[in-house]
Amino acid sequence: MPRLRKRSILLSGHATSLALEPEFWEVLDELARADGLSLAALIARIDEGRGERPLASACRVAALAFARR
């Protein structure tokens, strides 16, 4: 069973933590670089567009969509 890696981030002025598998963090780091964003800015962008979906799920979906490009 993969271990989750937790990171603390600041979203809308509030500290929160996000736990994802290391493989998803790697893809999100790559996506942030490709889009010229910091990882925090990328996660903020994902957060703004996630609707009712949990943030961790939205991050996984964004990573999957990027990997499929």
Side-chain angles (χ1 to χ4, degrees):
M1 183 171 175
R3 292 183 51 121
L4 296 177
R5 195 163 99 202
K6 191 178 279 192
R7 291 191 182 179
S8 296
I9 54 173
L10 194 64
L11 290 176
S12 301
H14 300 288
T16 189
S17 61
L18 181 61
L20 297 171
E21 294 78 6
E23 296 84 357
F24 283 106
W25 284 120
E26 289 175 23
V27 175
L28 290 172
D29 284 332
E30 186 179 338
L31 173 54
R33 280 192 304 275
D35 287 355
L37 299 170
S38 67
L39 182 61
L42 173 67
I43 293 173
R45 185 175 75 185
I46 292 169
D47 183 49
E48 289 172 4
R50 70 184 169 103
E52 296 295 316
R53 186 181 302 227
L55 181 57
S57 295
C59 287
R60 287 183 181 99
V61 169
L64 180 61
F66 177 71
R68 286 183 169 174
R69 284 194 210 171

